[in-house]
Structures are given as structure tokens and as C-alpha cells.
Amino acid sequence: MPAPWRICCDKKSRTKNGKAEMDNMAETSEKMQMKKEITLLNGISLIVGNMIGSGIFVSPRGVLMYSASYGLSLVIWALGGMFSLFGALCYAELGTSIVKSGASYAYILEAFGAFVAFIRLWSSLLIIEPTTQAVIAITFANYIVQPIFPHCEPPYDAVRLIAAACICSLTFINCVNVKWGTRVQDVFTYAKVMALILVISVGLYKIGKGETENLRAPFEGSATNPGMIALALYSALFSYSGWDTLNYVTEEMQNPERNLPLSIAISMPIVTVIYLLTNIAYYVVLDMSALLTSDAVAVTFGSETLSYAKWIIPIAVAMSCYSGLNSSIIAASRLFYVGAREGHLPDSLSLIHIKRFTPVPALLFNGLMTLLYLLVEDVFLLINYYCFNYWLFVGLSIAGLIYLRYTQPHRPRPIKLNLFFPIVYCLCSLFLVIVPLYSDTINSLIGVGIALSGIPAYYLGVYLPVEKRPKCLQWLSATTTKYVQMLFYCALSDLDIDMEPTAAKSK
């Protein structure tokens, strides 16, 4: 017999004509899933908005620093775009054959089972998602207050409070309506792309006037050390991360078999071309020393070229951060929602609002975790801990594609790539795992330790049969679920028929 609070949240009020309560519950349960409201255009905005973060405005210098020449740096940017396209195409196959939200977590769960998937989820919960979002929010706040404090550091408390307001506002928007979140994403993605088009237009205008002194010997002084070139490629590939954003919300896409791969196919060339042309514009206007010493390359570029319109650039950086944070919140909340639905996180995180069909508890949990990380003064240092984990799990999910080809050869695959693509990207991921181990061993090992700290949690919360789990944990989970349902007017969502076997297997 279901618990009373579940019945309370699952049923609708009696209608005036006296329909039976069970009919109303059946009607409700039939609809208790998140709606498919993400269109092709929304999908493109999510990918482009998450990939083009503040980095291209603030500090695109990593590639140039290690490649040591304009020409080689542009070649590496192009290679980074090509490798990222390979990974995105692999995710297009995975996303259309495993039509579940959660991206790499869902694919690792399907290919390698519950334990590896749980460790991936634990890493995201503890370090990857809250750290990333806290850093983006702080960058947003810095650029918002910069005009008020042009000649000094802005007050620490003001920056953190504005960052918290940014996180809370986006969490609220996404709790209210999925469409509100996608509209915010569309508007701010268009705005930052327009700002980059302005930067590119200025660069092309300078080239048209013949101001190409910086590009006359583009490969002069190029790095020849393989280690330096590897670090340059690593910086480029990290700048392209975010192409998997749409795979976190596959279940909410309209016609995912068509729109998921099409969104990826449109977004990846757009981002690659924008990155290449933006860097060319920077190289035309700024010499190498200015590029390598500037704390905010786009702001320096604007000061040199835009005169009275230079205020546009800090606003564009802030809008870029807002868009990137919004897409990150959407993706992370779905990851926690799917993890709870699979039994790897508390049931309370798998609840959705009865009327709005949004994962309110997962969104609030994600927001709370990010706010807690804002209290860490050196939150930027925490990014160093997760590079190893991030690329390891992306590589594992694509290795899962190869594994599933052999273990499930008859699985329906609307898109089926040549194995050349996943093999090349697996090798690329191996490289991305080795580089931080080589260049930042201590922080990488700390990241591994954080991931492995999930083993006791997996044993107590997932591996043990329900009747053998600590009674206090069972009571806490049931009580939390009860009050979260009543407080936020939520109910447990229903799985699609083809998803139920996987969920049962993982539990």
C-alpha cells in the first residue's frame, strides 16, 4: 500500500460530477512526466550557450601561451573543434539509442553498470557541478560591479551576494517553467553571439584596411616541443567542453531522434567558426604580449577599438556568464533528477511539480550546493580537482558506445557512426586524462580521492538490499520525501516503459 503522502500528491481533487478517485489518479499518473518542450532552436541555444562561456571573452590565452605563435594557435583551435565534433557525434548516437536524460551518467549506467555510474554522479554532486556554477556566478558578479569600481577590486561581499542572487534567480526561473528557462537561454545566447560578431566584425574591418602586421609571419616562433603542443591542445579542448549539454535533457526534447543530432550538427560548426574568427580578431588588434598579460582580453580589445562603446564588452561577458550558468543549472538538475530516479540519490530528488512538471527538488538541491560553494573563498582552486574526473567519465561514456556495439548489436540505433569516430575520441580522452595527471598530479589525485569517497555511500545507499540498510537512513529518506512532496507540491514521476528495466536493474 502506498504511503499516505504519496497518495495525497498523486491524486487530483474530485470533479464536480463525482468521478471516482482512482480514475483521477490514473489520469494524473498518465501525465506525471516532464513535458517535451525543448525544440530544435532551444537545443542549439543550450549547446552554444554552454560552450561559449566567459573564457573566449576573458582569457583565451592558454592556447596561445603554449603554442607560442598565432598560426599554430589557430591550427590547434581548429583541431580542438574537430575532436570535439567527434565526441559530439558519438553522443548523438548514444542519445538517440539510449533516450534518457543524464548524458554520460545514463550511458555509463547502461554500459558499465551501477557502481561506475554512481561514482560519476558522486563526482558531479560533490565537485564538478557546484564548483563550475559558483565560478561562473562569481565571474558574472565581477563584471556586473566592475563599472562601479573601475580602479580597484570590488568588495568581496558584494560580489558574492550578486553571485548568490544570480543563482537564485535562475533556479527560480527554471522551477516555474521549463519554457522560461529555455527562453532565457535563447535570449542571452543570441546576445553573446551578437557581441562576438561585433568583435569579429571589427577584426575583419581591420584586415580589410590592411592592418595585418601581427599576422605577417603567423608561424614564427611556433612551439616544437610535443609537451607544449599537447598542453595547448588541452586548453583548446577544455574551451570546447559543454557540447554534451543537450544530452542531459534528452527526455524533454521534441523528437529527440531528429532534433538531438541536428542540434549538435548545427552547433558545433557555429562554435568552431566563432572561436577561430574571434581569435583572429584579437590577433589583428593586440600584439602577443598584450594578449598574454591581459586579465580580460575582450575588455582590452574593446578599449583599443570601440571607444565610447567599450562598455558593451563587460555587459557581454556578464550575459555570457548568465547564459552559461542557466544551461549548467538545467543540465545539473536533470542529472540529479535521473540519478534519484535510478535509486542512486534520495527519492525526494526524483519528484516533479504536479502542475508545472519541473524537477523542483533537484533544482533547489543544485542551487543550495552551489550557494554553499560560494562560501569557499578559494573556490576557483577547486576547478583544478575535477579536470581529471570530467574527462575520464566523458571518455568512459564513449567507450561505452563501443562496448554496447558488441554486447547489444541489435539495439535500435537511429544514428550509427563508423567506429573510427569513437575510437579516435577515446584516444583523445585518454590524452586529456593523462595531461592533468602529468601537469597537475597532486590536484588530480585529490580529484580521484573525492570520486572514490563515494564508495561507502554506494555501499550503504545502493548496494545493500533495502532491508539491510541503516534504519536511520531509511527513516531520513522517507521523512524527507514526505515533507518535500507536501512543501513543494510534487509527486514521483513515472518511467517510460522502455526505461523501467534499466532502472530496476540498477536498483
Side-chain angles (χ1 to χ4, degrees):
M1 179 178 177
W5 61 85
R6 185 171 299 183
I7 293 175
C8 174
C9 292
D10 279 353
K11 68 181 180 181
K12 290 184 177 177
S13 301
R14 291 177 182 269
T15 54
K16 291 182 180 179
N17 60 7
K19 280 189 177 182
E21 181 181 295
M22 291 303 294
D23 290 340
N24 288 330
M25 289 178 67
E27 181 187 351
T28 303
S29 63
E30 187 178 337
K31 299 178 181 178
M32 198 46 60
Q33 294 174 344
M34 288 192 284
K35 294 181 179 179
K36 294 181 178 292
E37 294 187 324
I38 297 177
T39 64
L40 173 63
L41 191 59
N42 297 148
I44 294 169
S45 294
L46 278 168
I47 296 174
V48 173
N50 203 12
M51 289 182 71
I52 302 178
S54 61
I56 191 65
F57 291 98
V58 180
S59 183
R61 60 190 175 189
V63 177
L64 181 61
M65 180 171 63
Y66 293 117
S67 60
S69 75
Y70 289 155
L72 183 58
S73 70
L74 291 174
V75 170
I76 288 172
W77 277 109
L79 283 174
M82 185 180 69
F83 280 131
S84 298
L85 177 61
F86 283 12
L89 289 173
C90 294
Y91 264 47
E93 176 177 327
L94 286 165
T96 52
S97 59
I98 305 170
V99 190
K100 294 174 65 176
S101 298
S104 58
Y105 165 76
Y107 310 145
I108 291 171
L109 177 65
E110 187 73 24
F112 302 117
F115 174 71
V116 182
F118 180 86
I119 296 300
R120 187 262 179 269
L121 181 65
W122 185 260
S123 299
S124 289
L125 187 152
L126 277 190
I127 191 76
I128 296 176
E129 302 299 345
T131 300
T132 303
Q133 291 171 30
V135 166
I136 295 172
I138 291 168
T139 306
F140 166 83
N142 273 317
Y143 276 87
I144 287 292
V145 301
Q146 187 185 46
I148 305 171
F149 302 95
H151 305 299
C152 62
E153 282 288 318
Y156 175 87
D157 291 340
V159 169
R160 297 298 166 121
L161 285 172
I162 292 172
C166 174
I167 293 162
C168 292
S169 66
L170 285 172
T171 300
F172 172 77
I173 287 168
N174 283 284
C175 283
V176 171
N177 197 306
V178 173
K179 272 294 180 188
W180 285 21
T182 56
R183 282 171 188 158
V184 166
Q185 190 64 32
D186 292 346
V187 169
F188 281 87
T189 298
Y190 299 153
K192 73 170 149 186
V193 169
M194 292 302 295
L196 287 172
I197 288 174
L198 173 63
V199 170
I200 291 166
S201 300
V202 171
L204 294 178
Y205 173 74
K206 295 282 187 182
I207 291 173
K209 287 179 63 180
E211 298 180 18
T212 57
E213 292 83 3
N214 292 343
L215 302 179
R216 282 180 182 164
F219 289 93
E220 184 179 345
S222 295
T224 55
N225 185 322
M228 298 298 284
I229 294 173
L231 288 170
L233 184 58
Y234 178 80
S235 297
L237 287 167
F238 199 82
S239 297
Y240 280 104
S241 62
W243 45 258
D244 57 347
T245 304
L246 200 55
N247 294 72
Y248 284 94
V249 294
T250 307
E251 295 169 34
E252 297 171 71
M253 288 196 70
Q254 298 174 1
N255 192 8
E257 288 81 4
R258 170 187 176 271
N259 288 343
L260 176 62
L262 197 54
S263 298
I264 289 169
I266 294 171
S267 303
M268 293 304 297
I270 288 174
V271 174
T272 303
V273 170
I274 286 176
Y275 275 4
L276 285 169
L277 292 179
T278 302
N279 277 287
I280 289 171
Y282 290 157
Y283 297 166
V284 167
V285 173
L286 304 173
D287 59 31
M288 191 171 293
S289 61
L291 279 163
L292 294 178
T293 56
S294 173
D295 290 326
V297 173
V299 174
T300 306
F301 177 93
S303 300
E304 292 284 336
T305 59
L306 298 180
S307 186
Y308 294 108
K310 63 185 179 181
W311 57 268
I312 292 174
I313 299 299
I315 298 300
V317 177
M319 289 190 297
S320 181
C321 292
Y322 202 72
S323 167
L325 181 58
N326 184 60
S327 59
S328 184
I329 286 172
I330 291 172
S333 62
R334 271 53 175 188
L335 174 62
F336 300 147
Y337 163 77
V338 173
R341 193 179 64 188
E342 298 290 348
H344 291 173
L345 290 176
D347 283 344
S348 55
L349 297 181
S350 68
L351 304 173
I352 61 174
H353 195 277
I354 287 177
K355 291 185 177 179
R356 302 188 182 279
F357 299 96
T358 54
V360 173
L363 282 160
L364 294 176
F365 173 76
N366 174 74
L368 179 62
M369 288 293 292
T370 307
L371 290 174
L372 288 175
Y373 275 67
L374 284 182
L375 301 175
V376 180
E377 187 169 351
D378 294 329
V379 67
F380 285 82
L381 296 179
L382 297 179
I383 289 181
N384 298 327
Y385 299 154
Y386 80 70
C387 295
F388 175 89
N389 294 354
Y390 176 83
W391 292 113
L392 173 65
F393 291 119
V394 169
L396 268 178
S397 61
I398 293 180
L401 184 154
I402 302 170
Y403 179 75
L404 290 173
R405 284 282 189 92
Y406 290 100
T407 58
Q408 300 179 20
H410 302 299
R411 188 186 191 99
R413 291 179 173 87
I415 293 176
K416 191 172 183 179
L417 297 175
N418 187 299
L419 282 177
F420 168 79
F421 292 99
I423 289 171
V424 167
Y425 198 82
C426 280
L427 293 174
C428 182
S429 298
L430 183 63
F431 158 74
L432 289 168
V433 167
I434 291 172
V435 166
L437 269 180
Y438 166 76
S439 62
D440 197 6
T441 306
I442 298 299
N443 285 330
S444 296
L445 292 177
I446 292 173
V448 173
I450 291 170
L452 294 180
S453 70
I455 293 175
Y458 175 79
Y459 178 77
L460 292 174
V462 180
Y463 180 78
L464 285 178
V466 175
E467 61 275 8
K468 293 185 178 180
R469 294 175 191 172
K471 299 296 182 184
C472 59
L473 291 181
Q474 295 183 51
W475 175 85
L476 181 63
S477 177
T479 305
T480 304
T481 303
K482 170 185 173 180
Y483 287 106
V484 166
Q485 283 184 312
M486 292 191 295
L487 183 61
F488 299 114
Y489 200 53
C490 294
L492 292 170
S493 60
D494 297 319
L495 290 175
D496 291 333
I497 292 172
D498 61 339
M499 293 180 187
E500 289 178 358
T502 303
K505 179 178 69 175
S506 69
K507 290 182 181 180

